[in-house]
Amino acid sequence: MDRDAHQLGRALNPSAAKRVAVIGGGWAGIAAAVKASQLGYHVTLFEMAQHLGGRARSLAQTDAGPRLDNGQHILIGAYQASLNLLETVGVDLSQSFLRQPLRLRYPRHEGLRLPPGPPLISFMRGILTYRAWPFTARISLLLRSTSWLLRGFTCAPQLSVAELSAGLPAIVRQELIEPLCVAALNTPADQASAQVFLRVLRDALFSGRGSADLLLPKLPLSALLAEPAAAWLGARGVNIRLNTRVQAIASSTAGWSVDGEDFEQVILACTSAQAASLCAEIAPAWSSQAGALRYQPIVTVYLHSPGSQLPAAMVALQESTEAPAQFAFDLGQLGHAPGLFAFVISGAASWVEQGLTATGEAALRQALAEFNWRSPPQVHRVLAEKRATFACTPGLQRPPASIKPGLWAAGDYVDGPYPATLEGAVRSGLHAAEMLAVV
């Protein structure tokens, strides 16, 4: 049977397409493998690392100290695909997250804090009662937000977040727009896509009660998803192959060949660079688009100070040319590493250029200037994820999920409404698995 006839047979009988390869075991790959398994496919999951989790994982422990993550990740209540995935693999959300209404606490003052309730009403009440901003600034933000609402939270695709918020009072931009932008898009406001930013705001404000809540993980990242997902998948017969880097994929009479092994369909849930390399000959246009994406790094500086505590589990910071971090996390308040603090630097390209030692020292100076410490903080470790997220710039054309018949892409970089977030990765993985029957 030739390949066209084989694909016709699968189209007439989708359930016959049983053997599926998922290449990449990050959050997108895990989501794809879970969904494909639920749909009845026989799944083989390839992961080149020693463990699942991708760029949202815990590091292998080399000593008896606290378990470190390669970076800090948070969810919001609107990220239902991610929360549903976690529940599917057996995670107890009430025990695994510190959940609270949106709160931007600064070192020396309480920032904007939304009260509980329906998101839109909560947002309006939070703004109107936030007396640290002048009344004119609060009214200006509400009027601007109303204009975004009336336009359906859409704008010209070439608009940046800085341009979108031009004319708003400086304090609003500095204490709300810019922190939310860099947290959600990992891209500075003057370079970030306003359209994608508005989509995140829309879902946070209109996805129902609690959609704007912040969910801070109380577990190391691998314990949050990778490890329970591995157990869930293994119990359902998914073949998980760790330490396995796929070298080549090619068309075959069965559908697709992965390093010489036949599968009827394949989901590429690896990095965009690896996917581009694997598709260079079979889909050169797609490969070129995926390979052209630019990336933003994230640096996490871990500080150790026994007995110390921050004013909140997550504290917003004002970055500058001398102060790199935008957020600090008190891992003791999150219940798994007392005395350990993570200072997060998003959009960190300029700091990576200066070197991790210099970046750690700058974050330490920032910490000493902003907080009171019970014991002198010391740099515990500096971690850089140099290709943490794609640069979410205005008008960016991202590669589609469909590469060839029976060959799909999944990852936070794949075309979709979300920036490079855990939710974007999970949604793309679920979508790719759902498309397995569409050949």
Side-chain angles (χ1 to χ4, degrees):
M1 180 185 297
D2 64 25
R3 187 165 184 263
D4 290 340
H6 190 84
Q7 288 179 346
L8 176 61
R10 284 184 295 167
L12 295 173
N13 182 17
S15 64
K18 288 296 184 182
R19 282 178 53 80
V20 172
V22 178
I23 302 175
W27 283 52
I30 289 172
V34 167
K35 187 64 175 180
S37 177
Q38 289 177 317
L39 293 173
Y41 293 95
H42 296 296
V43 180
T44 299
L45 176 58
F46 297 87
E47 169 54 48
M48 64 181 181
Q50 300 178 31
H51 40 67
L52 302 181
R55 285 166 289 144
R57 68 187 188 282
S58 304
L59 304 181
Q61 284 190 281
T62 58
D63 53 36
R67 194 175 188 186
L68 301 181
D69 294 330
N70 72 325
Q72 298 301 302
H73 294 265
I74 63 175
L75 299 176
I76 62 173
Y79 287 176
Q80 283 301 309
S82 299
L83 297 175
N84 290 341
L85 175 64
L86 290 168
E87 287 191 309
T88 295
V89 299
V91 174
D92 184 341
L93 300 183
S94 65
Q95 297 298 314
S96 301
F97 290 95
L98 172 63
R99 182 166 186 159
Q100 60 188 24
L102 177 64
R103 179 190 186 192
L104 292 177
R105 177 64 161 89
Y106 284 86
R108 295 180 179 83
H109 70 279
E110 188 69 56
L112 179 65
R113 186 173 187 173
L114 302 189
L120 186 57
I121 296 175
S122 176
F123 178 76
M124 294 178 64
R125 287 177 55 202
I127 296 298
L128 286 173
T129 58
Y130 183 45
R131 301 188 182 279
W133 290 351
F135 182 72
T136 53
R138 288 175 267 162
I139 294 299
S140 178
L141 176 59
L142 288 176
L143 290 175
R144 184 68 63 89
S145 301
T146 301
S147 72
W148 295 340
L149 169 63
L150 294 175
R151 292 199 300 267
F153 284 91
T154 62
C155 67
Q158 300 300 324
L159 207 62
S160 72
V161 172
E163 292 168 330
L164 178 77
S165 59
L168 285 173
I171 193 170
V172 174
R173 297 197 308 271
Q174 292 168 1
E175 291 199 0
L176 181 65
I177 302 297
E178 292 172 5
L180 291 182
C181 176
V182 76
L185 277 65
N186 188 35
T187 305
D190 62 345
Q191 304 171 32
S193 166
Q195 182 57 71
V196 176
F197 180 70
L198 285 174
R199 172 55 189 263
V200 175
L201 287 185
R202 190 198 79 174
D203 283 5
L205 296 177
F206 288 94
S207 295
R209 186 180 294 269
S211 58
D213 287 357
L214 294 178
L215 285 84
L216 309 182
K218 296 167 66 175
L219 301 173
L221 283 173
S222 288
L224 185 65
L225 177 64
E227 291 163 2
W232 189 95
L233 292 167
R236 284 154 182 80
V238 172
N239 183 4
I240 301 176
R241 301 184 188 175
L242 302 177
N243 298 306
T244 305
R245 185 184 184 95
V246 171
Q247 301 297 323
I249 58 174
S251 173
S252 75
T253 55
W256 293 96
S257 169
V258 177
D259 287 345
E261 184 176 356
D262 282 337
F263 295 89
E264 293 196 280
Q265 299 199 61
V266 175
I267 296 174
L268 290 180
C270 46
T271 67
S272 62
Q274 186 185 6
S277 176
L278 290 171
C279 292
E281 294 186 6
I282 58 179
W286 189 95
S287 173
S288 177
Q289 190 174 24
L293 293 172
R294 296 185 295 109
Y295 280 80
Q296 286 277 1
I298 295 177
V299 175
T300 304
V301 179
Y302 284 98
L303 302 182
H304 186 235
S305 174
S308 296
Q309 190 174 62
L310 300 186
M314 184 182 85
V315 180
L317 301 168
Q318 290 289 341
E319 67 173 313
S320 69
T321 56
E322 302 296 327
Q326 299 100 355
F327 291 94
F329 294 83
D330 184 337
L331 303 187
Q333 291 191 50
L334 293 176
H336 61 92
L340 193 64
F341 306 86
F343 283 68
V344 178
I345 307 162
S346 297
S350 63
W351 288 99
V352 170
E353 290 176 359
Q354 296 181 47
L356 297 188
T357 299
T359 302
E361 292 171 350
L364 177 58
R365 290 193 296 270
Q366 182 182 15
L368 288 168
E370 294 286 7
F371 300 105
N372 297 318
W373 300 92
R374 293 288 299 273
S375 61
Q378 303 291 328
V379 175
H380 179 69
R381 190 164 180 182
V382 182
L383 300 174
E385 191 72 39
K386 294 185 178 181
R387 293 172 61 87
T389 67
F390 66 87
C392 193
T393 53
L396 177 67
Q397 296 297 309
R398 292 152 62 179
S402 177
I403 304 174
K404 290 280 187 178
L407 179 62
W408 313 96
D412 58 15
Y413 69 92
V414 172
D415 189 30
Y418 271 83
T421 57
L422 298 178
E423 180 73 0
V426 169
R427 286 188 179 211
S428 72
L430 297 175
H431 174 72
E434 290 163 353
M435 295 300 290
L436 291 172
V438 183
V439 181

